[in-house]
Amino acid sequence: MARRRTPIATEAELELLRLLWSLGPSTVRELREALARLRPTGYTTVLKLLQIMAERGLVRRDESERAHRYEAVAAEVEFQTRFLDHLTDSLFGGSTSRLVQRALTDGAVSAEELAEIRALLDEAEGAGEGAS
Amino acid sequence: MARRRTPIATEAELELLRLLWSLGPSTVRELREALARLRPTGYTTVLKLLQIMAERGLVRRDESERAHRYEAVAAEVEFQTRFLDHLTDSLFGGSTSRLVQRALTDGAVSAEELAEIRALLDEAEGAGEGAS
DNA sequence: TGCGGGCTACGAGGGAATTCGTAGGATGCC
DNA sequence: GGCATCCTACGAATTCCCTCGTAGCCCGCA
C-alpha cells in the first residue's frame, strides 16, 4: 500500500531547484516563465509544487510582498553532495572511488578539466597525509 | 494529471537489481529471503515487482522450472553509467568533471584508490589527445 | 464604487509506484 | 485419491506525484 517517500527530491522539484539556484530568489511568475522555455506548465502547478517544497523544507519563502518570493534552502553544492552520497550508497556499494572511476571512464572530460581533477587529487593526498 | 515515468528505475526496482547483480539469477523466494534482512517484504510483493520489471525490460526470466528464475538484463556497469549520465545532466549541468570534483571533495577515498584514479586520468589524457 | 488582473489557497483527479490478498494450478507425500 | 505446500497470475487498495480548475482576496484605476 504505502510508497516510500522519494529520496531527497523528485524530478519536478529538482527542476525548480535548478532554476532557483541559477536565478536566485524568485516569484512563481518568474519561475514559470523560466520553466516555460523547457516545459510549459500551468501557473498553479508551479505554485502548488513550491508550496509542497516549502512544507518539505526544500525552499523557504518570503511573504513580505504580495507575490511571495521563493528561495532554495540548501545551496547547490550541498545538494550535489547529498545526491552523490545517496548514489554512492545505492549504486556503488558505498565506494566513492568506484563512482569516480565509472564517471571518468564514461564521461567526456576535457584536458583542462582533467588537470583540475588532478589538482584535487594532489590536495586530497596531501590532506590525507598522516591522517592514519 | 499525467506523471512522468520515473527515469531508469525506481528505488524498489533498484534494490532488487542490486540483489540480482550480487546473487546472479534468482527465484522470487531467494530474492525475498535476501531482501528480508534489509526490509521484510511480502512474497507476492516481490513477485509483482519482478513481473513489472520484466515487462519494462529490466529483467528477463527463465520459466523452464516451476519457480521462475530472474536475471538482470543490464550489467551493473551499464546501469551505473546510465545513472551517472542522468545525474550529470540533471544536477551538474552536463559536466562530468564537476561531478567528479564534487565526489572527490566530499567522499572518503583511500590513498590506494586515489592512485587508481590517477592511473585512470593518465589513461584518459592519453586517449583524449587532440580532442578539445 | 465597480471592474480587471494578479496572487494565494485548496482540493479534485489521474497516473504511477508499491503493497498485498486471493484464486487457481501444479507437485509431492501420505 | 486427498491434503499440504509452493508457485504464478491478477487485481484491489493505498499513497505519492503532478497537474490544473476554481474560489477568494487584494490592489490599482477609471
Side-chain angles (χ1 to χ4, degrees):
Chain A
M1 355 271 212
R3 188 175 172 271
R4 295 181 305 234
R5 179 66 174 87
T6 295
I8 311 176
T10 67
E11 286 285 314
E13 287 168 349
L14 194 52
E15 201 159 30
L16 283 180
L17 283 175
R18 261 178 293 167
L19 288 177
L20 285 172
W21 286 322
S22 89
L23 299 178
S26 310
T27 63
V28 174
R29 171 160 305 274
E30 289 162 356
L31 289 170
R32 174 175 134 87
E33 274 165 17
L35 193 54
R37 284 166 223 145
L38 314 171
R39 192 164 57 79
T41 311
Y43 183 94
T44 54
T45 301
V46 179
L47 171 63
K48 179 70 161 190
L49 214 32
L50 286 167
Q51 287 170 342
I52 292 171
M53 290 169 75
E55 253 177 44
R56 294 189 54 205
L58 290 173
V59 300
R60 70 174 67 89
R61 73 176 175 183
D62 172 4
E63 308 184 2
S64 63
E65 295 185 56
R66 194 156 87 90
H68 299 172
R69 198 163 278 278
Y70 293 84
E71 180 183 6
V73 165
E76 185 170 17
V77 165
E78 280 178 64
F79 232 78
Q80 293 173 334
T81 300
R82 223 179 303 168
F83 248 92
L84 282 180
D85 282 351
H86 181 69
L87 189 65
T88 301
D89 285 345
S90 71
L91 202 51
F92 291 88
S95 160
T96 296
S97 78
R98 233 178 298 171
L99 182 152
V100 170
Q101 292 178 34
R102 178 69 36 230
L104 285 177
T105 305
D106 303 327
V109 183
S110 72
E112 208 172 288
E113 291 172 323
L114 286 177
E116 286 177 21
I117 294 171
R118 209 177 277 280
L120 267 179
L121 285 181
D122 293 338
E123 214 175 287
E125 253 170 21
E129 213 72 30
S132 65
Chain B
M1 347 255 210
R3 187 179 174 266
R4 296 181 305 234
R5 177 66 174 84
T6 296
I8 311 178
T10 67
E11 286 285 314
E13 287 168 347
L14 195 52
E15 201 160 32
L16 282 179
L17 283 175
R18 260 178 294 166
L19 288 177
L20 286 172
W21 286 322
S22 90
L23 299 177
S26 311
T27 64
V28 174
R29 172 160 304 274
E30 288 162 356
L31 289 170
R32 175 175 133 88
E33 273 165 16
L35 192 55
R37 285 167 223 143
L38 313 170
R39 191 164 57 79
T41 310
Y43 183 93
T44 54
T45 300
V46 179
L47 171 64
K48 179 71 161 188
L49 214 33
L50 286 167
Q51 287 171 342
I52 292 172
M53 290 169 74
E55 253 177 45
R56 294 190 54 206
L58 291 172
V59 299
R60 70 174 67 90
R61 72 175 175 183
D62 172 4
E63 307 184 2
S64 64
E65 294 186 57
R66 193 155 88 90
H68 299 171
R69 197 162 280 278
Y70 292 84
E71 179 183 7
V73 165
E76 185 170 18
V77 165
E78 281 178 63
F79 233 79
Q80 292 173 335
T81 299
R82 224 179 303 167
F83 250 93
L84 282 179
D85 282 352
H86 181 70
L87 189 65
T88 300
D89 286 345
S90 71
L91 201 52
F92 291 88
S95 161
T96 297
S97 78
R98 233 180 297 170
L99 181 151
V100 169
Q101 291 178 36
R102 178 69 38 231
L104 285 176
T105 305
D106 301 327
V109 182
S110 72
E112 208 171 290
E113 292 171 322
L114 287 177
E116 285 176 22
I117 294 171
R118 207 178 279 277
L120 267 178
L121 285 182
D122 293 338
E123 215 174 287
E125 250 170 23
E129 213 72 29
S132 65

